[in-house]
Amino acid sequence: MNSRNNLDEYQTIVRGLSDRIVEAQTPVRVLDAVKWDDATRQAFFAAKGRELPQIDRAYYEGRPLAFDSSAKKQEFQDIERDITRQLGQFNPVGQIMRRMCKEYRMVIRMLEARGTPDFGMISQELYGAASDAFHAGDPTLADLGLMLSDYLNNIADRGDLRDEPKNLTAPQAVELLQKRLDVVFGEGEGVIRVFESDGILADAAAGADYIKIRSDALFNERDVRALEVHEGLVHVGTTLNGQNQPICTFLAKGPPSSTVTQEGLAILMEVIAFASYPTRLRKLTNRTRAIHMAEEGADFLDVFAFFREQGYGDDESYSNASRVFRGSTPDGLPFTKDLSYLKGFIMIYNYIQLAVRKGRLEHIPLLFCGKTTLEDMRTLRQLVDEGMVVPPKYLPQQFQDLNALSAWMCFSNFLNHLSLDRIEADYANIL
């Protein structure tokens, strides 16, 4: 637990308000509140996959939230008012904390609206929509998903790019992943734990200081490498760095705006650590395309059929389709959280490019100082200079020494100015 010792009056006030946000958000668990139970899956397959899952407003009302939503909204409102009263309207760290309070109130309103059209609309406000453009005149997320799918289709039939056999059992994956993470987090220090679990649906899940591996799942070494980078170095690493903050403890917890940064950073790390691969990328593009389908009016059966067309089995197609409609209804607007992966990747990549172009390399490692949000990066740099935020303790090797990353981004900045269509025409006779 971080100590309040040696804090001055201002720092003590910020720490107190920050701790209140951390405490208030504790019972707000979005994914637990929106997931569908196994009985829904069984009923779907009992009907031969021909009927929409029986999910409506009443389904969610029968699964009440783990907190009093009205009281929780009022609690965040009270914290927000106290931030203004104690820090003023324009205090930088106060502005971050007030935005967090507003976001958590919006999250609660979204969860209150489970099973109604408002759920999907609020989800789009929090996480974005597939039809959103990155910048004026630029392609949308849906365009990006289609573009990447075309590229992946061009290499799909190459036998040398097929996934390696999944010949690692859960105990073997646990042992290998623990060894890899010990290199970064300290061998024998118990900073991060890897263990088996029977209680998760995904192959793996990260917590504050641990990664759980599903007991009956199988892996290959590439899977373990991706888990090391994505779940360990980014998700657990940023949580630990947030918990290491002596004053701005809110950095250990992430509202929806930080989800885009977190998932984008995780995908970027997979790429620059050479831990990603076509099957992984196709999974992300398919999720984006499925969300866009639902935004355009497709229902659960349409999306389920789409995933089957992409080569997934029935069970995995159901799981993927239910990710799109969880919290909503099988013919309603989608839950758009899964857009965060590709959206975040593009936003983080552009941010690092600009930081290199402008010579502000010191901003880049601050992405790891907690559950950060991209729009707060300039403020976080200021808070580091003031001693309000400490730099990240745990940092992937690729971000410890910025020499190679800077060189890559310098070339990337130049290559962005070249026309790939013109290059393709010029290279037509040699490729």
Side-chain angles (χ1 to χ4, degrees):
M1 196 71 183
N2 291 322
S3 172
R4 293 176 181 266
N5 295 338
N6 303 319
L7 300 184
D8 62 27
E9 182 180 3
Y10 169 62
Q11 293 171 333
T12 300
I13 291 173
V14 173
R15 169 67 188 255
L17 293 166
S18 182
D19 284 348
R20 286 174 63 187
I21 293 175
V22 172
E23 178 65 26
Q25 64 78 48
T26 300
V28 182
R29 293 290 173 262
V30 174
L31 299 186
D32 286 343
V34 302
K35 65 184 179 182
W36 296 356
D37 61 19
D38 193 55
T40 302
R41 175 195 289 264
Q42 294 174 5
F44 176 77
F45 286 116
K48 309 294 185 183
R50 298 171 183 166
E51 300 176 6
L52 291 175
Q54 298 301 302
I55 302 290
D56 54 14
R57 175 67 169 165
Y59 172 86
Y60 296 108
E61 289 176 340
R63 290 156 180 79
L65 300 174
F67 54 89
D68 183 323
S69 60
S70 295
K72 187 59 67 176
K73 286 187 295 185
Q74 185 62 54
E75 183 179 1
F76 281 114
Q77 180 69 52
D78 292 342
I79 297 172
E80 185 178 347
R81 287 173 179 165
D82 286 343
I83 291 169
T84 303
R85 288 174 183 145
Q86 297 179 40
L87 298 179
Q89 185 70 30
F90 301 109
N91 178 272
V93 70
Q95 290 178 332
I96 294 176
M97 290 193 290
R98 276 203 307 274
R99 190 198 68 242
M100 291 183 70
C101 290
K102 286 183 171 68
E103 281 193 44
Y104 280 124
R105 290 206 308 276
M106 190 179 294
V107 167
I108 294 167
R109 290 201 301 274
M110 181 182 72
L111 296 181
E112 288 177 325
R114 291 174 302 166
T116 74
D118 283 346
F119 175 88
M121 290 188 285
I122 298 174
S123 172
Q124 289 184 348
E125 288 188 59
L126 289 168
Y127 300 103
S131 54
D132 291 346
F134 290 101
H135 306 285
D138 280 358
T140 65
L141 273 169
D143 295 331
L144 174 63
L146 287 171
M147 186 184 304
L148 291 176
S149 292
D150 287 342
Y151 298 159
L152 291 168
N153 288 338
N154 288 338
I155 62 175
D157 296 330
R158 291 183 58 91
D160 56 340
L161 292 183
R162 290 176 182 170
D163 293 347
E164 298 91 339
K166 293 182 181 293
N167 51 16
L168 294 177
T169 63
Q172 291 171 324
V174 166
E175 181 180 4
L176 181 57
L177 183 56
Q178 185 72 67
K179 287 180 179 178
R180 288 181 173 274
L181 291 173
D182 284 344
V183 174
V184 178
F185 294 95
E187 186 173 0
E189 296 181 13
V191 175
I192 179 171
R193 298 170 293 122
V194 185
F195 55 88
E196 293 181 65
S197 174
D198 294 322
I200 57 175
L201 296 178
D203 288 346
D209 61 353
Y210 62 82
I211 297 176
K212 296 188 291 188
I213 301 295
R214 200 179 77 226
S215 298
D216 61 348
L218 293 174
F219 304 86
N220 56 41
E221 289 195 20
R222 193 180 296 274
D223 294 328
V224 174
R225 175 63 172 151
L227 289 174
E228 173 198 356
V229 171
H230 190 112
E231 306 293 350
L233 301 188
V234 176
H235 290 330
V236 178
T238 53
T239 298
L240 294 174
N241 288 331
Q243 291 176 342
N244 193 49
Q245 296 297 331
I247 300 170
C248 296
T249 55
F250 62 80
L251 284 171
K253 304 298 178 182
S257 59
S258 73
T259 301
V260 174
T261 306
Q262 276 285 297
E263 299 299 354
L265 196 58
I267 298 302
L268 176 66
M269 271 299 303
E270 288 185 29
V271 172
I272 64 179
F274 288 91
S276 193
Y277 47 98
T279 300
R280 167 69 171 159
L281 183 55
R282 187 180 290 278
K283 180 183 295 185
L284 301 180
T285 60
N286 284 338
R287 289 177 184 174
T288 299
R289 293 177 63 187
I291 289 172
H292 185 239
M293 289 175 60
E295 290 175 350
E296 295 294 304
D299 64 18
F300 183 92
L301 295 180
D302 298 323
V303 174
F304 176 77
F306 163 74
F307 280 109
R308 291 191 65 187
E309 291 168 2
Q310 300 304 307
Y312 295 95
D314 285 352
D315 283 341
E316 199 166 3
S317 294
Y318 176 90
S319 296
N320 286 327
S322 62
R323 288 179 71 104
V324 175
F325 292 96
R326 52 188 170 170
S328 183
T329 57
D331 57 356
L333 287 172
F335 180 47
T336 59
K337 178 180 178 292
D338 278 348
L339 296 177
S340 301
Y341 297 92
L342 294 184
K343 179 180 180 180
F345 170 78
I346 298 297
M347 293 175 67
I348 293 294
Y349 188 85
N350 287 340
Y351 174 79
I352 295 176
Q353 272 195 313
L354 288 171
V356 171
R357 183 184 300 181
K358 294 178 177 293
R360 297 174 182 170
L361 303 184
E362 70 278 2
H363 287 237
I364 297 174
L366 297 184
L367 289 163
F368 288 87
C369 69
K371 303 300 183 185
T372 58
T373 298
L374 208 53
E375 66 188 81
D376 296 332
M377 295 312 298
R378 176 179 290 185
T379 300
L380 288 174
R381 178 69 255 175
Q382 176 184 339
L383 294 174
V384 169
D385 293 340
E386 294 175 356
M388 298 290 291
V389 170
V390 298
K393 178 180 180 181
Y394 301 108
L395 197 60
Q397 187 274 331
Q398 292 85 351
F399 286 83
Q400 292 177 24
D401 182 352
L402 296 175
N403 281 299
L405 188 63
S406 298
W408 179 28
M409 290 298 174
C410 284
F411 278 112
S412 181
N413 271 303
F414 172 74
L415 294 173
N416 285 342
H417 295 284
L418 301 181
S419 169
L420 193 58
D421 289 338
R422 185 65 260 167
I423 293 172
E424 183 177 2
D426 292 344
Y427 280 43
N429 293 327
I430 61 174
L431 182 63

